[in-house]
Amino acid sequence: MASEKRIEDGDTSQESLIVGTSHGDLAVSAAFRSLLDRSIAAWSTLNYVGISKDESVDKHINAVRKLGSLDSLLEGREYWFFQLRDSFLKQDRVMKWDPNDLDRYIILPIDYGFANNKDCFFVSHFWRERHHPDPDGTDLRLFHEDLRAQEWSYVWLDWTCMPQVPRTAAEQYYFDRMLRCIPMVVRDCGFEWRFPPFEPRAWVLFEVAEYMLNHKEHWITDDIEPFVSHVREMVQIEKVQPIIDKYKYRCTTKGDMRLVVGWLEMAVILYLVVDNVHHRQQIFDHLNQPSIGSMSVLQLGITIDKAKGTVTANGKTYEFTPVFHLKSGVSLAM
């Protein structure tokens, strides 16, 4: 095993270029239709972990059948791109996201239950260079060693599954939204990592925290141990910022730090107040929905307000850095 992630160490550290082109030609249209058909077929075979698979699959089949182009999919921002297993294992360099090579992908709804740790892996990694995470294929060869013998079907890696610069307007719109949904894909998938010698990268720390705190089991290797130790310190003192400051964690894009700290604080708080991993995953996936600003989990006596940055449980109120600006509330039944 090895590695973590890094959306910020690459393209978000550069100026986002928005190019005024689209994906509307006939070749892309045919590839897009093939992507939808392939994805619909895949959904029925998934090890779905939500409540009502048939209902959820039917809902999304009806939704994607109405999409007329890749841009309409991107503008809806409701689906992850995952690379197919064969495509991932056959490549000798990590593939950059390519709207003209859709045959290498399926899409999965961001709804809880579709991405899961039996079918899907999230690949966490450092970026070795600013303009490419792994230009010589060094980490990819290690990922292949780890994953080739395991049973899985789809993989998510930021460079491959998120639009990279230069981006069209639709791609930038999609990227901005999906960046804020990263906790969901880390949390719901199996976790693969390969880390070079320790550097205090905040994105990596966050992804390791999601892996540790929101999976039933986790492995500890030498390369991940420093991050694991720091997450444990956060849980012990019930605070995040002092550990960030102590070990001088950083983001390449400074604006990302508030987002990462807020996510880390939420992860630590829910780990402290919700014992059941499955319940934590459900709560987090509801919180990541853009239409939800506050929620109550009546069976657990928990109320969460993302706008104010508060979690109230068992008569105690915890505070976290607000990272969303949302409107509505919801009650979640467990």
Side-chain angles (χ1 to χ4, degrees):
M1 280 293 146
S3 190
E4 202 301 295
K5 136 184 170 32
R6 244 314 7 168
I7 257 190
E8 103 304 352
D9 282 349
D11 291 319
T12 56
S13 65
Q14 309 170 41
E15 180 181 0
S16 295
L17 303 178
I18 302 179
V19 182
T21 59
S22 66
H23 310 112
D25 59 48
L26 292 177
V28 171
S29 178
F32 177 67
R33 286 294 151 198
S34 178
L35 169 69
L36 297 187
D37 291 341
R38 184 169 56 255
S39 299
I40 289 170
W43 296 346
S44 64
T45 67
L46 291 172
N47 290 282
Y48 184 82
V49 295
I51 296 174
S52 177
K53 179 177 180 178
D54 291 343
E55 181 180 341
S56 296
V57 168
D58 288 345
K59 179 185 76 171
H60 285 286
I61 289 175
N62 291 333
V64 299
R65 287 300 189 200
K66 297 176 183 177
L67 298 173
S69 66
L70 178 59
D71 281 352
S72 64
L73 172 66
L74 296 173
E75 290 163 359
R77 302 186 301 181
E78 298 293 337
Y79 298 92
W80 297 111
F81 285 85
F82 274 79
Q83 188 179 9
L84 299 171
R85 175 192 175 100
D86 285 349
S87 173
F88 180 78
L89 292 178
K90 288 178 180 178
Q91 63 190 2
D92 57 10
R93 295 292 183 276
V94 176
M95 170 188 166
K96 183 179 180 180
W97 191 85
D98 187 352
N100 298 308
D101 204 358
L102 296 179
D103 289 344
R104 294 174 180 262
Y105 297 98
I106 67 162
I107 56 171
L108 293 181
I110 65 172
D111 287 357
Y112 180 73
F114 287 90
N116 65 84
N117 62 15
K118 291 184 178 180
D119 296 308
C120 309
F121 266 103
F122 173 92
V123 177
S124 181
H125 62 96
F126 280 30
W127 280 62
R128 292 184 177 272
E129 294 184 5
R130 180 177 295 272
H131 301 297
H132 195 291
D134 185 27
D136 298 325
T138 301
D139 292 330
L140 179 62
R141 288 188 289 274
L142 297 174
F143 298 149
H144 285 175
E145 289 179 10
D146 292 342
L147 296 177
R148 192 179 299 278
Q150 300 191 50
E151 294 185 8
W152 55 278
S153 299
Y154 315 110
V155 65
W156 195 98
L157 191 151
D158 52 3
W159 178 251
T160 302
C161 298
M162 293 273 280
Q164 306 299 323
V165 293
R167 303 184 184 100
T168 67
E171 290 169 354
Q172 185 66 48
Y173 187 74
Y174 176 86
F175 180 91
D176 291 342
R177 158 72 192 281
M178 302 311 279
L179 177 63
R180 291 183 171 269
C181 295
I182 291 299
M184 299 175 70
V185 74
V186 183
R187 189 162 51 241
D188 294 341
C189 297
F191 191 75
E192 162 66 10
W193 72 93
R194 284 283 186 168
F195 298 145
F198 174 75
E199 295 179 23
R201 301 197 183 196
W203 273 104
V204 175
L205 178 67
F206 160 70
E207 291 168 358
V208 172
E210 283 286 357
Y211 170 57
M212 281 182 59
L213 302 181
N214 293 308
H215 285 76
K216 290 182 179 180
E217 297 179 347
H218 60 269
W219 297 91
I220 300 177
T221 54
D222 289 344
D223 55 346
I224 202 175
E225 196 281 329
F227 300 103
V228 169
S229 175
H230 299 165
V231 173
R232 288 172 174 164
E233 288 186 56
M234 293 177 183
V235 172
Q236 183 177 13
I237 68 172
E238 300 185 6
K239 292 182 182 297
V240 168
Q241 193 63 54
I243 306 305
I244 295 290
D245 295 339
K246 178 180 179 180
Y247 296 105
K248 298 180 172 57
Y249 276 95
R250 65 185 186 276
C251 290
T252 300
T253 301
K254 292 182 179 180
D256 288 352
M257 184 59 81
R258 178 181 175 88
L259 192 65
V260 170
V261 168
W263 284 341
L264 281 167
E265 290 169 342
M266 292 171 70
V268 169
I269 292 169
L270 286 194
Y271 178 79
L272 292 169
V273 302
V274 180
D275 292 334
N276 185 285
V277 172
H278 178 65
H279 288 170
R280 286 201 299 274
Q281 290 176 335
Q282 282 186 291
I283 291 169
F284 271 121
D285 279 14
H286 277 76
L287 284 173
N288 278 110
Q289 297 296 328
S291 61
I292 297 174
S294 62
M295 64 182 292
S296 297
V297 187
L298 303 180
Q299 297 93 323
L300 303 179
I302 295 173
T303 300
I304 303 169
D305 190 318
K306 290 196 297 183
K308 294 180 179 179
T310 60
V311 176
T312 302
N314 301 318
K316 182 175 179 179
T317 296
Y318 302 82
E319 295 183 353
F320 61 88
T321 302
V323 292
F324 298 94
H325 303 284
L326 306 174
K327 302 176 182 178
S328 65
V330 67
S331 292
L332 177 63
M334 287 297 181

